[in-house]
Amino acid sequence: MAAAAAAKIAEVRETTRVERIGAHSHIRGLGLDESLEARHVSQGLVGQVTARRAVGIVLQMVRDGRIAGRAVLLAGQPGTGKTALATALAAALGLDTPFTSMAGSEIYSLEMSKTEALTQAIRKSIGVRIKEETEIIEGEVVEVQIERPATGVGTKVGKLILKTTDMETVYDLGGKMIDSILKEKVQSGDVITIDKATGKITRLGRSFARARDYDATGQQTRFVQCPEGELQKGKKWCTLVWYESRINIIEFIGDTGEIKTEVREQINGKVAEWREEGKAEIIPGVLFIDEVHMLDIECFSFLNRALENEMSPIVIMATNRGITKIRGTTYKSPHGIPLDLLDRTIIIPTQPYEEKELREILSIRCEEEDCQMSDNALTVLTRISKETSLRYGMQLIMTSSLIARKRKAHEVDVEDIKRAYQLFFDEGRSVQFLREYQQEFMFNELDDKDDLEMETN
Amino acid sequence: MVEEYNLDTNVVTRRAWRCNKQLKDEDKWDVEIGDPQPIYNKEENMMIRENSNQPFISRRITKTNLEWRIRNLPYSIETYSVMADRDSRCLIVRTTNKKYYKKLEIPDLDRLNLIPEQENVSFSHKFNTLIITYKKPKKLVEMEKTILEEIKQVQPKHQQDMNNCKPS
């Protein structure tokens, strides 16, 4: 009874656990119907209908898994939902497809070369599903004998007698196995399976032959038939591993975090062998590179080459730049991406949101951030978002809600929004402020030159 | 795959397949014919294994027969029945006292896509051992002959030569 009560408490905790709220935690999918047509407001996404439809087609492409090495570029102004679309794609793909998300600037490290970081990201986005056959012992427990040494120290000795309807075998138990048998409270009459390699014990239920024993049985006790035939059976099941998951190959990684080419080749060879034997199948995933203009010319040419490999995933890039310098060169190119790579991509543009859509997004965010807002306040907030930016508008939700709570109101009103708007500057007003009071700030004498450019190289 | 032949009788005495499941795994051998590979330092990380006085099987091939020896079977000869099962292409060993049951696969016949026939099966019981013999079908004998001719072209090595070989 006490155990049941404890379980109940654990359950309650589970439901009331508060998740941290991120910028895109309201997104649960792409919001498409069966014919890949985008619903206007669905699964946390609003508007952007053509872009969503296009991403839906990319999704289909990934699911089919036949086409390798495509690149997709999401291009659009800041705050038009590029990252949101990628997040939605990841959510729609589900957990079974590898999805790697990285920012363009993540690859710069003193310890690892840029291309190595990219290679690792690319390979992390390829999954391998391995069908493995393991030996499983399945039978009814006739007897468990576990002897402890009289002194209390030393190894325990254990024996387990299992039977099926056709045979009976005595097994010797190792120390670990004894522990797990004691933990599982295996007793005679139980029907169990034991995974021979990992030693995992699963209780299938009680044998029907013991159904007449007047034991005190719980409600959940299942009665099953005693298995037939041999005790030891080979069974197949699937495991999904990321191609270059660090857990598998951690011992091969050198001090620099770089994976040696020989190791890669070894892995490739092994996977090819498994594929030949029909034991493994490749699941291509998605690599998402945000802020792709932060990559430099070397990375772009590397990507060009990497995309041609048949083992490459579908690469989705996002950028908010227009015609700008390619990093590492003095050449200008659209989106800061060299034309040859741009030529290999399919480009999905995202449009700025309409006022109506902004309102929808803001109300979704209000719900996500647990904040009640009156209609008027929402209108004002939409207006502000339209004038400044959507991100600024979203910032005001939480701040104004805290202001509203200070005056003990449970709904955010226009007053609170106003106050938050006065307290926190948006980018436009901040610039204006700087213009006015520039003289008072430090180092302002440097600012005379107007053509001072950001150094990115 | 490795095979050992007795050069006097021209019969396979040992055939084993290497199987290692993981990358960088120790070599493991799946012994098809001959005595099973002894396992050393097994006490250390043993999970569960059959008790040493439980039945175990070793296979051998003679000139005319395929043989299975199941040791540690103390019951008398009337207890056993060996059936050739056409569906699963196995020999099924049963005991009337429900103490032992085993499906014996016949890889040699599988490779030729032959189905086991009941009339080729016979068995005897001696010294706690059940010996099952299966008479080789004609097709198998012929195939073994052609394989042997192929093998005869390989230069045999003496044990001494092998000892001089220094593995890195």
Side-chain angles (χ1 to χ4, degrees):
Chain A
M1 222 36 236
K8 209 163 245 177
I9 288 166
E11 239 172 57
V12 172
R13 283 232 178 95
E14 198 78 26
T15 50
T16 53
R17 193 181 63 199
V18 180
E19 294 275 341
R20 285 179 56 85
I21 302 163
H24 296 114
S25 48
H26 59 281
I27 294 164
R28 291 176 306 280
L30 278 168
L32 303 175
D33 59 17
E34 294 84 42
S35 55
L36 291 182
E37 213 64 59
R39 294 188 212 99
H40 190 69
V41 182
S42 174
Q43 296 190 303
L45 287 187
V46 179
Q48 220 63 271
V49 177
T50 47
R52 269 160 66 197
R53 196 175 143 72
V55 174
I57 288 165
V58 172
L59 169 74
Q60 205 60 42
M61 196 159 81
V62 177
R63 279 209 184 127
D64 287 349
R66 301 227 354 256
I67 291 166
R70 277 310 149 81
V72 180
L73 178 67
L74 293 168
Q77 296 92 316
T80 49
K82 298 179 295 295
T83 316
L85 274 177
T87 320
L89 179 66
L93 278 172
L95 288 173
D96 264 359
T97 314
F99 185 95
T100 319
S101 176
M102 65 185 289
S105 36
E106 242 173 75
I107 60 158
Y108 297 98
S109 151
L110 286 177
E111 290 183 339
M112 208 192 285
S113 73
K114 290 172 277 191
T115 49
E116 170 66 22
L118 269 180
T119 315
Q120 284 189 12
I122 284 174
R123 290 174 67 109
K124 226 164 50 186
S125 322
I126 294 278
V128 182
R129 199 193 294 276
I130 298 171
K131 290 192 206 86
E132 251 186 324
E133 195 163 328
T134 50
E135 287 179 316
I136 283 177
I137 303 167
E138 182 177 341
E140 182 190 327
V141 180
V142 179
E143 200 179 333
V144 198
Q145 302 170 353
I146 292 168
E147 282 161 27
R148 287 185 190 78
T151 51
V153 280
T155 49
K156 289 176 213 155
V157 185
K159 254 186 203 167
L160 177 69
I161 306 177
L162 289 177
K163 71 162 188 186
T164 65
T165 50
D166 296 306
M167 70 183 292
E168 195 173 304
T169 305
V170 183
Y171 289 96
D172 288 341
L173 302 174
K176 258 193 204 162
M177 206 68 209
I178 291 175
D179 289 342
S180 53
I181 278 186
L182 289 174
K183 211 175 111 202
E184 287 284 321
K185 298 196 180 73
V186 172
Q187 47 182 323
S188 52
D190 287 347
V191 177
I192 60 171
T193 62
I194 301 173
D195 184 332
K196 227 181 169 184
T198 59
K200 195 171 170 279
I201 298 177
T202 322
R203 275 171 73 177
L204 301 178
R206 296 276 299 168
S207 168
F208 267 119
R210 303 281 184 132
R212 265 172 293 166
D213 290 2
Y214 295 106
D215 289 345
T217 51
Q219 285 170 332
Q220 299 96 328
T221 312
R222 277 175 51 207
F223 284 100
V224 291
Q225 289 291 354
C226 181
E228 291 176 351
E230 283 179 270
L231 274 165
Q232 201 157 319
K233 286 167 186 136
K235 277 195 180 163
K236 268 186 190 166
W237 91 97
C238 287
T239 48
L240 179 71
V241 293
W242 275 201
Y243 200 154
E244 204 153 278
S245 72
R246 301 219 138 209
I247 312 135
N248 269 0
I249 53 163
I250 198 92
E251 52 185 307
F252 300 113
I253 298 171
D255 296 332
T256 57
E258 194 148 329
I259 297 166
K260 289 200 192 86
T261 339
E262 299 93 71
V263 175
R264 280 230 168 90
E265 271 162 18
Q266 214 177 336
I267 295 172
N268 278 350
K270 198 84 210 169
V271 171
E273 197 181 297
W274 283 340
R275 275 178 85 185
E276 201 107 302
E277 290 171 20
K279 257 164 65 180
E281 91 190 271
I282 301 282
I283 299 167
V286 175
L287 169 63
F288 174 60
I289 309 176
D290 212 349
E291 313 280 336
V292 74
H293 49 264
M294 293 307 288
L295 300 184
D296 62 9
I297 186 80
E298 283 168 47
C299 298
F300 285 128
S301 70
F302 176 81
L303 269 183
N304 262 342
R305 183 78 189 80
L307 281 177
E308 278 168 10
N309 193 328
E310 61 177 17
M311 289 290 276
S312 68
I314 287 181
V315 179
I316 297 182
M317 304 177 280
T319 180
N320 53 21
R321 298 293 157 96
I323 296 172
T324 178
K325 260 187 203 160
I326 304 167
R327 191 165 176 184
T329 64
T330 51
Y331 303 113
K332 283 196 166 180
S333 184
H335 310 296
I337 297 172
L339 283 174
D340 54 347
L341 180 59
L342 212 51
D343 197 24
R344 282 163 211 254
T345 58
I346 38 180
I347 302 174
I348 302 174
T350 53
Q351 262 82 38
Y353 290 109
E354 304 280 311
E355 194 161 333
K356 220 176 94 198
E357 290 163 346
L358 285 177
R359 195 187 164 93
E360 291 288 355
I361 295 170
L362 286 170
S363 78
I364 288 174
R365 282 309 293 183
C366 282
E367 207 170 294
E368 187 69 21
E369 292 179 26
D370 235 356
C371 159
Q372 298 270 331
M373 195 172 284
S374 69
D375 268 358
N376 282 341
L378 198 58
T379 315
V380 172
L381 197 59
T382 313
R383 192 80 220 164
I384 291 170
S385 307
K386 180 84 185 158
E387 297 294 315
T388 60
S389 77
L390 179 58
R391 288 218 170 87
Y392 179 71
M394 285 189 193
Q395 310 278 31
L396 287 190
I397 295 175
M398 202 64 227
T399 44
S400 57
S401 125
L402 285 174
I403 291 166
R405 211 177 296 166
K406 260 277 171 289
R407 66 176 178 89
K408 296 200 172 60
H410 48 259
E411 208 181 45
V412 177
D413 222 333
V414 183
E415 283 306 303
D416 306 311
I417 302 267
K418 245 185 207 163
R419 186 143 174 82
Y421 184 74
Q422 283 160 359
L423 281 174
F424 302 103
F425 271 19
D426 60 291
E427 161 248 2
R429 272 184 295 159
S430 179
V431 168
Q432 190 161 16
F433 177 79
L434 285 181
R435 288 238 171 85
E436 279 169 30
Y437 295 95
Q438 201 185 22
Q439 295 306 315
E440 263 111 281
F441 281 87
M442 279 181 75
F443 303 125
N444 58 338
E445 61 271 15
L446 283 178
D447 229 6
D448 292 340
K449 278 173 261 159
D450 228 3
D451 56 344
L452 208 70
E453 267 193 30
M454 189 168 65
E455 185 62 51
T456 53
N457 295 325
Chain B
M1 198 259 285
V2 176
E3 283 183 331
E4 278 172 28
Y5 282 82
N6 185 334
L7 288 177
D8 301 327
T9 56
N10 287 335
V11 166
V12 196
T13 53
R14 189 177 157 78
R15 182 185 293 154
W17 301 80
R18 189 161 77 173
C19 56
N20 48 344
K21 283 180 183 147
Q22 258 135 37
L23 201 73
K24 259 195 140 187
D25 205 359
E26 291 263 306
D27 282 358
K28 281 181 201 135
W29 291 91
D30 187 11
V31 181
E32 190 185 307
I33 294 167
D35 287 326
Q37 182 99 332
I39 309 161
Y40 301 110
N41 64 17
K42 52 188 174 186
E43 294 302 330
E44 282 170 20
N45 40 24
M46 188 263 287
M47 289 269 202
I48 183 167
R49 65 147 185 263
E50 278 160 42
N51 193 294
S52 55
N53 53 29
Q54 289 298 302
F56 69 94
I57 302 168
S58 65
R59 270 198 72 198
R60 63 171 78 162
I61 290 186
T62 63
K63 266 216 147 76
T64 51
N65 293 324
L66 306 171
E67 277 186 15
W68 288 263
R69 273 144 211 275
I70 309 179
R71 297 177 207 280
N72 289 338
L73 273 183
Y75 322 109
S76 59
I77 182 85
E78 313 87 65
T79 332
Y80 308 103
S81 75
V82 181
M83 311 271 278
D85 189 50
R86 301 176 69 96
D87 298 333
S88 56
R89 299 184 168 196
C90 287
L91 298 181
I92 299 179
V93 185
R94 283 197 183 86
T95 49
T96 49
N97 59 4
K98 304 286 182 202
K99 289 292 184 194
Y100 190 72
Y101 176 97
K102 184 78 190 170
K103 277 183 169 177
L104 299 170
E105 285 176 14
I106 319 171
D108 304 76
L109 295 190
D110 271 346
R111 280 175 207 130
L112 284 166
N113 219 357
L114 294 176
I115 290 164
E117 305 288 344
Q118 183 67 44
E119 63 254 34
N120 293 344
V121 181
S122 61
F123 57 95
S124 62
H125 187 259
K126 239 189 270 174
F127 309 123
N128 272 356
T129 303
L130 180 72
I131 303 168
I132 302 163
T133 46
Y134 186 90
K135 201 166 156 289
K136 280 187 197 168
K138 219 173 178 184
K139 250 183 159 176
L140 181 60
V141 177
E142 277 164 18
M143 195 189 71
E144 283 185 342
K145 211 182 249 171
T146 49
I147 291 176
L148 193 70
E149 259 153 42
E150 196 76 12
I151 283 167
K152 284 231 167 127
Q153 294 167 10
V154 180
Q155 200 63 36
K157 280 205 173 103
H158 287 288
Q159 195 68 40
Q160 279 95 352
D161 300 339
M162 301 288 270
N163 289 344
N164 287 337
C165 160
K166 281 196 190 103
S168 57

